[in-house]
Amino acid sequence: MNAMTKSAAELRRAARDHIRLPRLETPFHDRLMALSEVNDWYNWAGYKAPHSLFDGELEYFAIRSTAALFDISPMVKYRITGADAERYLNRLTLRDVRKLGVNRVHYTAWCDDHGHVLDDGTLFRLGEQEFRLCCQERHLPWLLDSAFGFSVDIREETEEIAGLALQGPTSHAVLRDAGFVGTEKLKPFDIATFPHEDGTVTISRTGFTGDLGYELFVPRAKALSLWDRLWNAGQEHAIRAIGFGALDQARIETGFIVANADFVTAEGALRADRVRMPDEIGLEWLVDPDKPNFNGRRAILDARRNQTLKHILVGLEIEGNIPAEHALVYHRQKHEAGLVTAAIWSPTAKRNIAIASLERPYGSKFTDDLWVEIYAMRELKYQKMMKRAKIVPRPFVKLARRTATPPGLK
Amino acid sequence: MQKYDALIVGGGHNGLVTACYLQRSGLKVAVLEKNGWVGGAATSRELTPGFLYSNCSYVCSLFRPEIMRDLELPKHGLQVIAYEGGAVFTRDGDYLASYRDHDSHRREFARYSKRDAEAYERYARDVTRQCRFIQPLLMRTAPDPFSFRPRDISELLYLAKKFGEFSPHEMAETLRFWTMSISDYLDEYFETDVIKAYLALSGIIGTALGPMSPGTAYVLLHHYMGEVDGSVGAWGYARGGMGAVTQALARSFEAAGGVIRTDAEVSKILARGGRTTGVVLANGDEVRADLVVSSADVKRTFLKLVDEDALPGDFVHRVKHFKMRGSSGKVNIALDSLPEFPALPEGSSCMRGDMHFTDSIERMERAYDDWKDGRWSTDPFLDMVIPTTLDPTMASPGKHFMSCFVQYCPPKVEGRDWTDADRDAFAETVISQIASYSPGFRERIVHMEVRTPREIENEVGLTEGNIFQGELTFDQLLFNRPVPGYAQYRSPIHGLYMCGSSTHPGGGVMGAPGRNAAAEILRDLKRTPEQMSKAHDVI
């Protein structure tokens, strides 16, 4: 046995104790634990993550009124490097990666050979030949198999990299007071690195809230010092740590979709009719037919040409104020037209909003006379309501401060 | 001389299932069992004081919940408890565990390969898709493509429709899956030897094929399509051992007025003018009935119990060539304390699941090579469980029953019959394998029951000790099981039916052959099956 294999075996042995902590703690767990007043945890991809820390409703207002700190470490992360990294990612994903400059981020998606969406995510270009892909589900075999013939190195780095989302109107003020000089120059989707302790932190002007906001990535060992740096600077800016419940409200207002909540990923679907093409989940704008060949291209363009797309994702505004979560959508109150995948009463828009997946021609040809059937459990009795729904563009909430550069401080 | 409406040859789980449904539908039914106890290959026996063994089958997943409910088996004492994963020990002193928690399972695979860890979901999805296709076929009589009866045509159409719901891509996948070797199949997903070895085990259990033999991927599916309370693919222990399944069936049968006769070996099934009239027992007694249902395997039924001249020549030829080869053995061990496996962390849940020592597919294939040479494997693979870690009824506190399923084990040793010395040497092979991973193991042994194909055939009656009453390869499934043209539980002799695992959908403690046979018999009698609920939906 040579030295190399021995150390691999030792590493493997050292990792055996993972079973002692089946819900892994994120690099920020100590801080979250200390702040958690309600002990409301959930399982995010095998990590213990807060659903709320003190009060979901108030946490939401931290996003929209001050600054909210949300731990995104469980998000799956892949590092893609090498001479062919750009060409490889261009073949893999829907958007033109050649147009993604160094230190820029874009939202994208990738498909199997049949044009069915495997996942959506954000692609960070950290260098000419260096990228980070962040997503909800795990895709290492797919990424490695797709690399055949490309000079590229693909590494899963979820556990090694800690991530924080800092979102809200005072988020830039927090960064500034934490001493990150130059963040005011970041435009939406810009990335820059800043010194932190003896290393660096990567900060991008991105987020899942549709508000002014940033995402910060550091190696695991620097997680707590980064948290403390932001937390201390944030005290005068009413920073609050938040859980997923609040974030989910903000993302629905912004009209963002979540894999395996608003659509079923192609690798997860057991039933053949559950898979979706980009055009069926509102991602048609990501597809760039003019760029070089990419996976799923022919299937997607064929479906467009032959008009065989079966579904469509729409934003709905529903009368009344009762959220229509998982309600059935009807046409003329009679024909089943689809399903609501996410719905809230929007505190910011003061409207009852929803994201729905409809079966074409509903939503494409028939866009009027849509209704949702809401079953509201009220003191052990369903109150059944048929409410009128109107297709409206997403985002439901559009905030000027999201894109203003230089960013505001409050 | 007594006269019954129906006689069931053999008191194994399928025989008892058929018996229960027929009795509850108003027939007067007697079960004739050669042993002094019922159960067939699903028995629990106390061979040494204070220890109950699951003598043959040892874990439960495939047994259809529809049957448990229809026959009120919970009321008659049946409880199935889900168990907790397991482990393969590797030769370098480590192990690969299997955990029920999804993310722990992934992290365990990631210790060996991050790629394999993330490939598991794709693999599980693809196998689950195949299960979803096959599951609804279990509780239906396979269509007979030789007949043009409307029912067969509509069943064929059903099959075609099920298949038609697949995309062309999935159809191609299904055909590949049903014909591939488990080794080739796993190679498409995984790169790590021990992970492949762990998953390949279900592809060869009970089968006289190696992991590299075509057709073994389907065998894996057969082990995956069971469930414990809706959790598809999960396995559990029957509380009180696998005999609890047949004991509950026997009680249900007797509660409905059925008669069980033990020590009543059937030596001949009578056939006169192409029609059965009953059976003759080994003691010479004749028992009369217009219906005889044999739960014995197809070879034993038609080559030993029925006169060959009462059968069509081609049928006999087909039965003779039905593949039912002995390939496995069993060692049941009573232990005076819980064995230690130093590789495992203290208190590991793996001890409550299935444990194996074969860490590569190549070792499995080499073990099969020994079988081809007519020897038991010098490095066999074991499927080892300790049910007493979860079931307090099989041994007193602190004592344990360990079940070791052993493969490969030939029906004859280098062409000659097994001897007691062979059997003891076979047991030693097994014990020394365990002992090399578990110091002090030998000292804990209180008693052992060693079963080669010889013992299994002699006691249970399974030809060559084949646990599935015929191998589960694609050439022996659906309308080809056991014989084309006779896949609907009927035989060439009027009034003689089959209900054992030789029939569709095959082996394992599933009960589906027994239930489907009862449905066909009642159909012939123009009776509506009482208390036979619809098969559960796959949704």
Side-chain angles (χ1 to χ4, degrees):
Chain A
M1 196 184 278
N2 63 38
M4 277 288 286
T5 56
K6 193 175 172 208
S7 80
E10 275 166 6
L11 281 172
R12 169 152 60 76
R13 225 170 275 237
R16 296 200 280 205
D17 275 349
H18 70 86
I19 190 61
R20 306 228 175 263
L21 207 62
R23 289 285 160 275
L24 210 58
E25 292 170 354
T26 80
F28 301 107
H29 183 75
D30 289 354
R31 298 295 178 271
L32 292 169
M33 196 68 196
L35 290 167
S36 175
E37 294 173 14
V38 290
N39 260 320
D40 180 12
W41 307 93
Y42 78 111
N43 176 11
W44 179 3
Y47 284 87
K48 188 173 175 182
H51 192 264
S52 69
L53 287 165
F54 56 99
D55 181 324
E57 204 179 322
L58 301 183
E59 289 167 35
Y60 164 84
F61 288 109
I63 301 173
R64 291 288 183 238
S65 176
T66 58
L69 202 50
F70 179 70
D71 179 4
I72 53 173
S73 304
M75 196 166 57
V76 179
K77 300 176 275 287
Y78 298 100
R79 178 74 66 121
I80 296 143
T81 52
D84 289 338
E86 179 190 275
R87 204 162 62 82
Y88 162 77
L89 285 162
N90 218 21
R91 212 282 300 264
L92 183 84
T93 62
L94 298 176
R95 287 178 85 173
D96 195 340
V97 181
R98 294 172 306 178
K99 294 180 184 165
L100 180 65
V102 173
N103 283 326
R104 290 283 293 165
V105 184
H106 71 200
Y107 170 67
T108 189
W110 51 104
C111 296
D112 66 13
D113 297 7
H114 311 289
H116 297 134
V117 178
L118 288 161
D119 211 344
D120 62 343
T122 42
L123 183 63
F124 292 67
R125 187 162 200 166
L126 304 172
E128 196 56 49
Q129 299 184 4
E130 188 175 1
F131 295 84
R132 174 179 291 145
L133 186 62
C134 297
C135 49
Q136 176 79 12
E137 301 298 335
R138 290 182 171 268
H139 303 284
L140 192 57
W142 181 264
L143 298 181
L144 290 171
D145 292 347
S146 304
F148 182 77
F150 292 93
S151 171
V152 65
D153 181 61
I154 296 153
R155 216 161 54 78
E156 193 266 342
E157 58 175 17
T158 307
E159 284 188 31
E160 298 156 40
I161 303 294
L164 275 178
L166 175 66
Q167 306 278 307
T170 66
S171 56
H172 177 253
V174 175
L175 286 182
R176 186 196 60 181
D177 291 357
F180 293 113
V181 180
T183 45
E184 71 282 356
K185 293 198 200 82
L186 289 176
K187 293 193 285 290
F189 300 108
D190 274 353
I191 307 171
T193 54
F194 299 87
H196 176 64
E197 295 200 306
D198 55 349
T200 57
V201 49
T202 302
I203 302 181
S204 56
R205 187 163 166 189
T206 49
F208 211 50
T209 60
D211 217 301
L212 173 64
Y214 302 85
E215 288 172 321
L216 301 87
F217 295 94
V218 281
R220 189 182 175 93
K222 301 278 184 281
L224 294 180
S225 62
L226 177 67
W227 178 286
D228 294 341
R229 187 171 168 182
L230 296 171
W231 195 253
N232 293 335
Q235 290 314 305
E236 291 191 355
H237 304 288
I239 193 171
R240 303 303 302 259
I242 64 160
F244 177 71
L247 184 88
D248 197 37
Q249 290 197 52
R251 75 94 187 170
I252 295 170
E253 289 183 328
T254 316
F256 288 149
I257 55 173
V258 173
N260 287 323
D262 297 288
F263 71 97
V264 179
T265 56
E267 284 206 326
L270 292 176
R271 296 159 187 82
D273 63 344
R274 302 302 204 272
V275 292
R276 294 288 184 268
M277 285 190 160
D279 299 42
E280 297 177 307
I281 53 171
L283 300 186
E284 56 275 9
W285 62 280
L286 297 178
V287 179
D288 186 345
D290 300 324
K291 75 172 206 176
N293 189 41
F294 57 92
N295 220 51
R297 180 179 190 275
R298 194 168 73 181
I300 294 165
L301 297 186
D302 282 355
R304 285 180 178 181
R305 193 175 49 250
N306 302 329
Q307 303 193 343
T308 52
L309 293 161
K310 291 192 188 72
H311 300 91
I312 190 166
L313 188 123
V314 296
L316 294 179
E317 191 184 325
I318 298 162
E319 65 177 341
N321 60 345
I322 313 295
E325 203 170 10
H326 291 149
L328 286 172
V329 182
Y330 290 92
H331 183 239
R332 295 182 173 161
Q333 304 194 35
K334 216 166 48 202
H335 304 288
E336 205 177 303
L339 178 84
V340 170
T341 56
I344 54 160
W345 166 259
S346 163
T348 299
K350 301 295 180 214
R351 289 186 295 164
N352 196 23
I353 60 172
I355 297 169
S357 173
L358 304 185
E359 206 164 324
R360 296 174 194 238
Y362 303 113
S364 54
K365 195 166 149 211
F366 304 130
T367 52
D368 292 332
D369 217 351
L370 293 175
W371 300 78
V372 295
E373 188 177 35
I374 303 172
Y375 280 62
M377 176 68 89
R378 294 292 179 265
E379 295 176 329
L380 294 184
K381 193 168 174 177
Y382 275 122
Q383 269 169 249
K384 289 180 268 183
M385 290 162 265
M386 192 63 101
K387 295 288 185 188
R388 193 178 278 280
K390 194 173 79 184
I391 294 177
V392 295
R394 292 174 294 145
F396 303 100
V397 168
K398 204 169 176 181
L399 298 165
R401 62 179 178 247
R402 186 183 82 86
T403 49
T405 310
L409 294 172
K410 55 189 178 186
Chain B
M1 193 168 53
Q2 282 173 296
K3 169 119 185 168
Y4 294 94
D5 295 327
L7 299 174
I8 311 292
V9 181
H13 61 279
N14 278 314
L16 289 167
V17 167
T18 305
C20 285
Y21 279 113
L22 295 183
Q23 181 72 34
R24 281 165 179 250
S25 298
L27 271 64
K28 207 173 144 208
V29 183
V31 171
L32 306 172
E33 165 58 47
K34 77 181 182 74
N35 290 321
W37 62 91
V38 293
T43 50
S44 307
R45 296 179 64 209
E46 186 173 335
L47 298 181
T48 189
F51 291 91
L52 206 55
Y53 291 161
S54 278
N55 305 74
C56 294
S57 64
Y58 50 100
V59 283
C60 189
S61 165
L62 303 174
F63 197 57
R64 297 306 308 164
E66 296 92 332
I67 298 172
M68 298 191 213
R69 186 173 62 187
D70 289 353
L71 304 181
E72 302 176 283
L73 300 189
K75 189 177 110 183
H76 294 289
L78 178 63
Q79 262 186 282
V80 180
I81 328 149
Y83 71 62
E84 305 188 25
V88 192
F89 295 92
T90 57
R91 279 166 294 178
D92 65 359
D94 200 353
Y95 61 88
L96 171 80
S98 154
Y99 295 118
R100 279 170 63 86
D101 177 66
H102 178 88
D103 294 292
S104 299
H105 197 70
R106 173 173 54 73
R107 287 188 195 115
E108 180 67 10
F109 274 33
R111 292 206 295 126
Y112 290 85
S113 157
K114 279 190 167 188
R115 182 206 160 93
D116 286 358
E118 299 194 11
Y120 185 76
E121 288 183 42
R122 212 200 271 187
Y123 165 81
R125 175 206 61 179
D126 288 350
V127 176
T128 308
R129 279 185 181 172
Q130 296 300 329
C131 281
R132 293 175 54 80
F133 172 68
I134 199 93
Q135 247 194 351
L137 306 180
L138 299 178
M139 299 286 268
R140 304 173 81 97
T141 297
D144 181 357
F146 303 91
S147 118
F148 290 96
R149 284 179 306 169
R151 190 162 66 86
D152 285 311
I153 291 169
S154 86
E155 279 294 301
L156 274 173
L157 284 174
Y158 173 82
L159 248 182
K161 185 179 164 291
K162 285 290 298 173
F163 208 57
E165 284 166 8
F166 275 13
S167 64
H169 179 70
E170 285 174 305
M171 280 186 209
E173 276 303 303
T174 300
L175 284 180
R176 292 175 74 247
F177 195 96
W178 286 23
T179 51
M180 278 174 96
S181 77
I182 187 60
S183 172
D184 284 345
Y185 188 73
L186 291 169
D187 277 345
E188 294 188 1
Y189 295 89
F190 302 106
E191 60 187 12
T192 310
D193 281 347
V194 62
I195 288 176
K196 286 188 274 191
Y198 163 67
L199 295 168
L201 192 107
S202 307
I204 42 172
I205 260 191
T207 304
L209 292 171
M212 296 178 183
S213 310
T216 45
Y218 174 80
V219 182
L220 171 122
L221 187 61
H222 197 85
H223 286 95
Y224 206 94
M225 63 199 174
E227 60 179 283
V228 176
D229 301 321
S231 174
V232 174
W235 284 80
Y237 296 127
R239 199 166 188 268
M242 287 303 282
V245 173
T246 45
Q247 285 303 313
L249 283 166
R251 282 184 213 121
S252 169
F253 177 58
E254 288 177 329
V259 174
I260 294 176
R261 289 180 61 183
T262 51
D263 294 314
E265 180 171 5
V266 172
S267 60
K268 196 176 189 53
I269 296 171
L270 296 168
R272 211 160 289 148
R275 174 178 288 276
T276 185
T277 54
V279 303
V280 181
L281 301 181
N283 65 5
D285 286 359
E286 210 175 306
V287 190
R288 305 289 294 269
D290 293 336
L291 281 175
V292 175
V293 190
S294 175
S295 71
D297 69 62
V298 67
K299 281 183 194 273
R300 192 176 180 91
T301 303
F302 294 102
L303 304 181
K304 286 194 174 155
L305 301 182
V306 179
D307 279 338
E308 198 170 312
D309 54 15
L311 297 165
D314 192 41
F315 178 82
V316 173
H317 177 80
R318 292 276 193 164
V319 170
K320 278 183 177 159
H321 292 276
F322 188 65
K323 281 181 296 169
M324 194 183 297
R325 299 172 297 194
S327 62
S328 56
K330 183 91 196 289
V331 179
N332 297 313
I333 309 170
L335 297 166
D336 68 3
S337 55
L338 190 66
E340 281 169 35
F341 292 93
L344 293 177
E346 220 184 304
S348 169
S349 67
C350 301
M351 294 281 278
R352 298 189 284 273
D354 43 47
M355 291 177 277
H356 317 141
F357 303 109
T358 307
D359 59 0
S360 79
I361 286 198
E362 205 186 318
R363 274 176 77 191
M364 285 182 182
E365 188 68 21
R366 299 259 178 248
Y368 179 48
D369 289 342
D370 289 340
W371 180 87
K372 283 183 271 183
D373 290 337
R375 296 187 304 267
W376 65 87
S377 307
T378 48
D379 178 22
F381 79 76
L382 267 54
D383 187 25
M384 185 172 85
V385 293
I386 310 175
T388 41
T389 53
L390 289 171
D391 179 353
T393 68
M394 299 183 80
S396 44
K399 315 279 184 206
H400 290 279
F401 156 55
M402 176 190 267
S403 160
C404 299
F405 175 87
V406 189
Q407 201 156 315
Y408 295 81
C409 192
K412 283 185 184 294
V413 181
E414 292 172 337
R416 60 173 170 77
D417 288 334
W418 280 82
T419 63
D420 290 352
D422 291 330
R423 183 197 58 203
D424 295 345
F426 164 74
E428 174 52 30
T429 310
V430 173
I431 300 302
S432 73
Q433 191 185 50
I434 302 171
S436 64
Y437 293 85
S438 180
F441 182 74
R442 286 173 195 277
E443 288 71 49
R444 299 177 201 272
I445 300 175
V446 175
H447 175 267
M448 265 200 303
E449 181 193 21
V450 184
R451 326 194 76 186
T452 71
R454 177 183 68 161
E455 282 77 22
I456 298 173
E457 174 156 7
N458 287 347
E459 181 194 295
V460 186
L462 293 166
T463 300
E464 292 197 13
N466 181 295
I467 64 168
F468 293 138
Q469 289 199 352
E471 268 149 49
L472 298 170
T473 47
F474 197 38
D475 57 318
Q476 303 198 143
L477 292 177
L478 289 167
F479 40 71
N480 284 326
R481 190 173 185 90
V483 171
Y486 297 96
Q488 299 185 329
Y489 312 96
R490 294 174 189 82
S491 78
I493 295 166
H494 193 82
L496 173 59
Y497 293 81
M498 304 171 254
C499 71
S501 293
S502 288
T503 59
H504 170 79
V509 182
M510 193 189 297
R515 186 178 119 129
N516 293 347
E520 290 300 321
I521 294 163
L522 292 168
R523 193 171 272 126
D524 287 351
L525 295 176
K526 308 215 168 359
R527 283 176 186 251
T528 332
E530 290 292 325
Q531 295 164 345
M532 190 178 286
S533 59
K534 275 189 175 169
H536 288 174
D537 297 318
V538 178
I539 53 170

